[in-house]
Amino acid sequence: MVLVVTVVILVAGAVILARRGGAEGDAPERLAALAASQLPAERRDWGLAMAAELTDVRGQVPRWRFACGMLRIALFPPVRHRIAVLTVATAGLAVAVAGTLLAANAVPTMPAFTAALGLLLGGYATMVAWRWRSGQPPLPHLVAGGAALAGASAAVTAAVRIAIARPAATADGTHLFAILFAVELTGCLSLVLTPPRLGSHSRTVLWGALAGALACTAAWVIIALAGQFSTEQVTGYFSPVSAAAVLVVTSCVAASSRSMPAGAKAGVLTAVLGAPIHFAIDMTALLQVRHFALTSPFDMSAYARGGYPTVASYLISDTLGGYIITGMLLYPIALTGLAILVAAATARLRPTAAGSAD
């Protein structure tokens, strides 16, 4: 059911975006225009001129090759500070190796996660250094980046605590969950630290997302402290708090800015900022549970076949894996689709309301 709802929301959002972009040409033209818009300010006019030349290119294959070439330039512009890029890349690799060796000795079940996270973050830092431009980032960007780093750090800390207290719960012979968790955390950080350009709406988007994430955090902490925590409290991996925050933030930002992209981005950032924080709060509360019991025939059968030393290790492992797949991946994707739909509807309704008032 969750997958069906997610797919429906995303398809609807894609249809809306396709209809909005239909007047801007075919897919290669839209890709070239998008690539040109992501170029640094001093190269943007050149990029727009190059995108305009796509009209003279005939044939789908040459057009796609031209558009992909522009996208490559947007993603990998000429290096300005080669020494800085090499330094960051070398330092990132060294930190990843050192962290992996340390994890192998201190937390034997987490070297794969540490290696994946170190390499991904090192690669992201190298990309940032490659595309770095001088200038101080605005205050909302700095605060949002700090919140994203704090949330990711809290999520990693919670996972490490589980690995230390219940080593069998984090044992993963395939390392798939460890790598997926590292990819999710890196994705959250990159989306917040390098948001797309929204011009005059950037501050509204970032402050709105921060307010939504802060409200979610307060609600989750109150819920965790209000009553006795249990594994059943996490088995859904869904939070009405997140959905409500995304709905409110998206509507307010889209209405105030009259911009569908701004509203959608605010909602997405709210979900992305909240996901690691929610993970950290629930996993921390889960460690405080003292009594674990198997309540379903499926769990009893899986526990008998799994070779876990204790019921607690099995239930925590099951909850952790489910949270990585559903709470950190599928649910934010569903909230992204919700944000797109709400932003499209709100941005469309606001001018009509203004016109009727006149």
Side-chain angles (χ1 to χ4, degrees), residues 34 38 44 92 96 122 126 151 168 172 174 199 206 217 248 261 275 280 294 299 308 316 329:
L34 175 63
Q38 298 304 309
R44 202 163 302 155
T126 302
D172 178 17
T174 63
L206 291 172
T217 301
V248 171
L294 300 172
D299 284 337
Y308 289 91
I316 293 177
L329 180 62

Side-chain angles (χ1 to χ4, degrees), residues 35 38-40 43 46 68-80 82 85 123-124 126-132:
Q38 298 304 309
L39 289 171
R43 293 179 175 269
W46 171 84
C68 290
M70 288 198 59
L71 182 62
R72 179 186 62 81
I73 295 174
L75 293 175
F76 303 100
V79 181
R80 295 181 176 181
R82 189 177 301 273
V85 172
Y124 172 70
T126 302
M127 286 291 298
V128 171
W130 191 316
R131 299 172 59 86
W132 181 257

Side-chain angles (χ1 to χ4, degrees), residues 3 70 83 93 104 151 165 197 210 214 216 252 257 261 264 281 308 325:
L3 289 175
M70 288 198 59
I83 296 178
L93 181 60
R197 301 181 183 90
L210 283 167
L214 182 61
C216 288
C252 291
S257 65
I281 292 173
Y308 289 91
I325 293 176

Side-chain angles (χ1 to χ4, degrees), residues 95-121:
V95 170
V97 172
T100 303
L101 295 176
L102 179 62
N105 293 324
V107 193
T109 59
M110 298 195 70
F113 167 75
T114 306
L117 184 63
L119 291 175
L120 289 170
L121 290 179

Side-chain angles (χ1 to χ4, degrees), residues 9 13 19 44-45 47 49 61 85 87 112 164 167-168 197 216 230 236 240 243 247 302 304 308 321 340 346 350:
I9 290 178
R19 291 182 63 184
R44 202 163 302 155
D45 291 339
V61 174
V85 172
T87 301
I164 294 174
R197 301 181 183 90
C216 288
S230 65
L247 180 64
Y308 289 91
I340 293 174
T346 308
R350 176 61 185 266

Side-chain angles (χ1 to χ4, degrees), residues 290-334:
R290 293 292 177 260
H291 177 69
F292 292 87
L294 300 172
T295 58
S296 70
F298 175 82
D299 284 337
M300 295 178 185
S301 176
Y303 171 67
R305 299 191 310 267
Y308 289 91
T310 63
V311 172
S313 296
Y314 164 73
L315 289 177
I316 293 177
S317 174
D318 185 58
T319 301
L320 183 63
Y323 216 118
I324 289 174
I325 293 176
T326 310
M328 289 287 293
L329 180 62
L330 294 182
Y331 194 42
I333 291 176

